[in-house]
Amino acid sequence: MSTKIFRARQAMGRTVRGQALVAHDGFSARYDLDRIKGVFSRPAHKLVGQSYVGKILVLDTAKGGVATAWMLHEMQARGIVPLALVFNSVNPILAQGAALGDVPMLAGFDEDITTAIPHGAQVEVNPEARSISILA
């Protein structure tokens, strides 16, 4: 079995494995999620209605302001946080939120990671190696 590996320029957190939820949409913890039900709730988001809990989100870019940081922390405390976040590009606010919420994160690839990773694929996020690998 061959494994396809993509390298990121920014990374933090621990290694995790899980199912990838992929969309070329942006990500705002404040405006895109129902943080009580654990699903994407913004009607215009491609992942609307899908649970993000325990999933690896592969999205285009981070959106939002300072609320993202405390929202990711609050989601972690309630056990309804994504397993990891993977972006083509990220902003400092979301990076702070991922660190505060203890959510592994990768960002900055040489190709569009939202087209390289198939929706629903099993992947491994390895921040120490700055990589995401398609497992199946």
Side-chain angles (χ1 to χ4, degrees):
M1 178 174 135
S2 66
T3 302
K4 182 113 180 165
I5 300 172
F6 303 91
R7 302 281 177 201
R9 287 183 282 285
Q10 296 94 30
M12 69 176 158
R14 67 194 178 290
T15 297
V16 294
R17 288 182 172 199
Q19 182 183 26
L21 291 185
V22 182
H24 192 67
D25 298 45
F27 174 77
S28 166
R30 182 175 187 177
Y31 296 112
D32 292 338
L33 307 179
D34 180 323
R35 296 180 315 279
I36 303 300
K37 296 178 181 173
V39 297
F40 279 85
S41 59
R42 187 169 56 87
H45 202 285
K46 184 178 178 184
L47 299 176
V48 67
Q50 295 191 47
S51 174
Y52 59 82
V53 179
K55 305 287 174 55
I56 295 173
L57 303 183
V58 180
L59 299 162
D60 186 44
T61 188
K63 303 181 302 183
V66 295
T68 293
W70 65 261
M71 288 179 177
L72 285 170
H73 180 264
E74 185 246 353
M75 290 161 54
Q76 180 68 270
R78 292 191 299 114
I80 60 165
V81 70
L83 190 57
L85 299 167
V86 179
F87 297 107
N88 282 316
S89 63
V90 71
N91 63 35
I93 298 297
L94 193 96
Q96 288 176 327
L100 184 63
D102 191 27
V103 181
M105 190 190 75
L106 297 176
F109 296 87
D110 289 336
E111 58 191 288
D112 182 347
I113 199 66
T114 67
T115 59
I117 303 291
H119 182 74
Q122 291 296 313
V123 298
E124 178 180 274
V125 171
N126 183 338
E128 185 175 338
R130 295 180 181 229
S131 69
I132 181 169
S133 306
I134 300 172
L135 303 174

